[in-house]
Each structure stands twice: as C-alpha cells, then as structure tokens.
Amino acid sequence: MSLTMLSTPTTGSPWSDPAAYWGAMTRATQNLSGPIAAINVAALRYNALDLVVRASGLPIRVASKSIRVREVMDATLALPGYRGILAFTLPEALWLAERHGDVVVGYPTADRHAIAALAADERAAARVTLMVDDVSHLDLIDSVVEPGKRPAIRLCIDADASWRARGLGHIGVRRSPVHEPEEAASLARAIVARPGFELVGLMMYEAQIAGQGNSTGRGDVAIRWMQRRSGAELLQRRAAIVRLLRDIAPIEFVNGGGTGSLELTASDQSVTEVTAGSGLLAGHLFDGYRSFAPAPAAAFSLEVVRKPTADIATVLGGGWIASGPADESRQPRPVWPQGLATLGREGAGEVQTPLQGEAARTLKVGDRVWFRHSKSGELAERVASYHLVDGDRLVGESATYRGEQRAFL
C-alpha cells in the first residue's frame, strides 16, 4: 500500500449509503472466491486523517495489534501526524524494528529468547523500548544477560490508568500494579539505580474511556458519567506522576489514550503522544461512541452454500470470534445485505453460519455476504492477505502477519 493511496483526499463518505458502499465492494471482489478480507482504501484514508484531527497536534503512535499488516502500518506512519509503533510482543517488536526506528512494546515480556536477541543487537536495543511495572521485570532481564554484557535496555513504566472510585471500587482493566504517583516514582528510582537500564517513557492507557463505547443504547448515561469523573481524576494523577518522573530521569515520551479517548488525552498537557490503532480499520466495537464515527474500513465476506429454508441462507465458515467476554459484542456482524442475523442457538459457526431474515430470501447459492469483525486487528489472524478496494476496483493486496508466516501471540 503506497502513501499516495492514503494521502489522496477522500471525496464524500460512500459508506453512508450502505447499498452503494457494499455494492461497490461486492463488484470489486466478484471474481474472488471466499472467504476474503478486504480493506476499503477510501475508508482507511478517512479514518487515518480523522484520527489526526482528533489528536489535536499530538503525534499518534500506531497500535500494531489493531492492524497486523505491515504495509498498512508503513503507509499510515508515512502520513504527517503519525510517529512510532506500539507493539504487543517483543518478537514482533524486533521484527518491526528491522525497518522502524521507534517501537515500544506495549506489555511486559518474559520471553527470554527475545530478550537475549535484543541484548545481542545494539541497533535493535536503540530502537525498541520494553514495558515494565515491577522490579521483577528488571530481575528477569538481568537473569538472561548481565548488565555489563549488553547495551542499555530502554524502559517505559506502565502506570495503571484505571479509576479507583469511592464506593465503586476498581473501574477499568487490570493492568499495572503501579497506580499512585509515589509508586511510579519508587519504580523509577529503582530503574535508574540499576546498571544496564535507561528509563525513557511512561504509558497510561485509560481503557475505561478509550475502550468503552458511550453511545450504544445500553447504560450510556452512567458510562458517560463514569468517563467524565474518571477523566478528571486521571488528568490530575497523570500530571503528578509525570512531574515526579521528570525529576528522576530524562523522560522522552509520555504516552496515553486510545482510539476512543483521543480528545481527552490530547487535552492533557503532560502527555506528549497518543496511541491509536482500532480506529484505522474500525471493528464494529468502535461504532458506539459519541465523539466520532469511523468508516467501516475492513470487512470480510463469505459465500452462501445452502438454503435450509426460504428465509435462512447458510454461509461457509464465519466463526471468527473476537477475544474478550463471550457475548454478542464479540461475534462477527453481518452487515450486507442488511437485515440478516445469526441464529441464537448457533451463532457464527466454525464451518457454517446460518443467517436469517427477509434479506435471506433474496440470497442464492454463491452470493456474497459481508461481515465486520468485532476487533480491528484480530481479523488479520484469519487470513493471509487483505484485498485493497478503491471504489468498485481492486487496487492491490497486502499480506497480513499470517501471510508473512508470522504468529506472535
């Protein structure tokens, strides 16, 4: 995927007319056999530029787990407003660092083989930053390669951004044990006191804001109240942590946010960069937000293989369930033709998915049904490549991690 494809201005928003949008996607892929995954270049372009606007001038670090296609990441990072990658494993980060100079591993690692590889490669050690939230992570690294026998390892502290609300308890995901400013400062002092390490960054991911839709029709008033209160608390606590850390080490970056919280995070003057990834390809989990409406850039299609009844059309495959709680939100969503739904007792199946509704009456064997995956990046683990569509034309094909024979997690 070339930079030109993403930097060309988007005319209108064709996805606002489902019949025209999915009709064009169908025409573009009519000679391909399913299952196929496709990226609509105009929709991706719109999403990439919309994220830049929402970030209000802060550079955006691209979350690789939400894409898992190197060509898409390369093209996005070539756009003004994007800088650096947030990887999800150290082996992946080492691979990406072969052609990218700023890769932060978003989660702590216990991969001894990868740590040894990092320590043996000065170029990679200068490009890759590891995530830590406990001195035990330092102990593990030292047990693999002694400090005097390796280049300095770049480290970023992951501080918990969840909200500890009086009377409500823990609101947010369970990440780092470091929550209070002094806890972060204590870890920072331990890092700078250890030979062979360099503290360069702080990350705080506010999942209860960035990853929680607030316009879904299910408890929206309570969710928005929680997000306002949590956001106000986080602005104060993160600023306090940053002040303490900057007295201890020359921090290069303070990372925060996600696709769902760019506006809030960008308003925090202690933050130097934001992270986004899901908003580029836009899994359907990101449909329910008040502040933005991403275009459905990535989708997959399956073919009808039988009609058990007049109002049921069965497609081959479909059970591409997203990670997280096992509920409807993690199911792939049939989006075209409109009005199709999975059966309650079967859902999206391993080898077949029956779809019911009036639209099924018009479908015949061989017809194409379009689905959107729940999470933006996990679809890439199911296919070797994405077909690139612009209008009603196929304009290219981009290999996924799987297509490049890479499986990191």
Side-chain angles (χ1 to χ4, degrees):
M1 176 177 289
S2 69
L3 169 61
T4 304
M5 294 175 70
L6 288 191
S7 59
T8 303
T10 300
T11 302
S13 52
W15 46 88
S16 63
D17 182 349
Y21 185 69
W22 297 110
M25 294 281 283
T26 300
R27 291 191 297 275
T29 58
Q30 61 186 339
N31 294 322
L32 302 174
S33 294
I36 67 164
I39 291 176
N40 187 287
V41 176
L44 174 58
R45 181 189 305 128
Y46 170 86
N47 290 339
L49 299 180
D50 184 59
L51 289 171
V52 171
V53 172
R54 295 178 56 219
S56 301
L58 284 185
I60 301 172
R61 186 176 293 275
V62 176
S64 65
K65 78 174 183 65
S66 300
I67 303 172
R68 308 188 201 202
V69 183
R70 283 206 293 177
E71 287 187 350
V72 172
M73 286 192 286
D74 291 348
T76 302
L77 285 164
L79 294 173
Y82 289 87
R83 185 182 69 199
I85 296 172
L86 186 72
F88 56 94
T89 72
L90 179 53
E92 178 211 18
L94 293 171
W95 183 56
L96 294 175
E98 292 174 6
R99 62 193 203 194
H100 290 282
D102 180 8
V103 185
V104 176
V105 184
Y107 306 86
T109 184
D111 189 323
R112 291 170 173 82
H113 179 77
I115 291 170
L118 176 68
D121 186 340
E122 290 192 8
R123 183 169 180 264
R127 292 180 163 206
V128 174
T129 302
L130 299 188
M131 193 67 59
V132 297
D133 59 34
D134 192 276
V135 293
S136 62
H137 296 134
L138 314 185
D139 296 339
L140 178 63
I141 295 169
D142 281 345
S143 73
V144 175
V145 183
E146 296 176 18
K149 298 180 180 180
R150 66 168 194 251
I153 303 298
R154 293 168 53 87
L155 298 181
C156 175
I157 290 177
D158 185 358
D160 181 32
S162 64
W163 182 33
R164 295 180 179 177
R166 182 177 301 176
L168 297 176
H170 182 99
I171 306 294
V173 298
R174 295 287 183 175
R175 289 178 66 98
S176 169
V178 177
H179 186 273
E180 299 304 318
E182 186 50 46
E183 293 173 335
S186 178
L187 178 57
R189 295 187 195 101
I191 291 171
V192 299
R194 296 273 289 257
F197 296 104
E198 183 182 5
L199 179 59
V200 299
L202 170 72
M203 184 178 84
M204 297 182 71
Y205 171 56
E206 52 268 30
Q208 70 276 15
I209 303 172
Q212 177 64 62
N214 55 18
S215 186
T216 65
R218 301 184 299 274
D220 292 336
V221 173
I223 290 171
R224 291 196 287 268
W225 174 86
M226 175 274 292
Q227 290 176 333
R228 287 193 301 271
R229 296 290 298 273
S230 173
E233 184 274 338
L234 180 60
L235 288 175
Q236 294 185 7
R237 180 161 53 90
R238 182 159 46 199
I241 291 175
V242 171
R243 284 194 298 269
L244 289 177
L245 262 56
R246 291 201 182 279
D247 287 339
I248 298 169
I251 302 298
E252 296 176 11
F253 65 88
V254 177
N255 179 278
T259 288
S261 66
L262 289 187
E263 293 86 355
L264 170 71
T265 311
S267 71
D268 187 340
Q269 295 185 2
S270 67
V271 173
T272 65
E273 63 176 40
V274 292
T275 292
S278 295
L280 290 166
L281 298 182
H284 69 69
L285 271 181
F286 284 83
D287 288 349
Y289 287 77
R290 296 185 81 189
S291 59
F292 68 102
F300 67 97
S301 69
L302 306 172
E303 292 165 338
V304 176
V305 292
R306 58 183 170 193
K307 295 288 297 289
T309 69
D311 68 338
I312 295 178
T314 300
V315 297
L316 188 67
W320 296 356
I321 311 302
S323 59
D327 59 30
E328 184 181 357
S329 70
R330 266 53 183 183
Q331 293 266 333
R333 179 175 295 168
V335 292
W336 191 260
Q338 290 179 317
L340 296 173
T342 57
L343 305 185
R345 289 185 176 272
E346 295 193 50
E350 178 185 7
V351 290
Q352 73 164 36
T353 299
L355 299 167
Q356 191 168 34
E358 283 303 307
R361 296 181 181 276
T362 67
L363 292 171
K364 60 184 184 298
V365 170
D367 283 348
R368 174 155 288 159
V369 175
W370 286 98
F371 293 77
R372 291 174 64 201
H373 202 272
S374 175
K375 288 195 170 182
S376 300
E378 292 183 13
L379 175 56
E381 298 296 340
R382 296 287 187 168
V383 296
S385 66
Y386 279 102
H387 295 277
L388 307 179
V389 176
D390 202 357
D392 59 2
R393 299 179 301 117
L394 278 179
V395 294
E397 188 173 1
S398 293
T400 62
Y401 283 6
R402 176 176 176 174
E404 295 197 63
Q405 288 78 54
R406 303 285 176 166
F408 296 110
L409 193 62

